Amino acid sequence: MKNYQVEVVYKMPNGSQAKVSIHVTASSASDAERQARGRVTGTVISTRAKEMK
């Protein structure tokens, strides 16, 4: 398991766009992105995972 910082850009229920950085522990970058998607309320536009050193 590795630590990842995932940047999520999403559209909030009120229509405005937001960007949040979430730290997760996952086995891969795609798993980290999947976990981060589950933590935001709204429509996810994009995710980008970066492994923490």
Side-chain angles (χ1 to χ4, degrees):
M1 300 296 267
K2 299 177 181 176
N3 293 319
Y4 290 91
Q5 178 180 359
V6 185
E7 285 188 352
V8 182
V9 177
Y10 65 101
K11 188 169 283 195
M12 296 190 297
N14 67 5
S16 61
Q17 211 171 8
K19 181 177 174 183
V20 66
S21 179
I22 300 172
H23 290 199
V24 297
T25 301
S27 56
S28 66
S30 60
D31 184 37
E33 289 179 355
R34 184 187 55 77
Q35 287 183 36
R37 282 177 179 266
R39 295 190 190 184
V40 299
T41 55
T43 305
V44 175
I45 297 168
S46 69
T47 57
R48 180 176 22 213
K50 184 169 40 173
E51 187 178 340
M52 304 292 286
K53 298 289 181 187

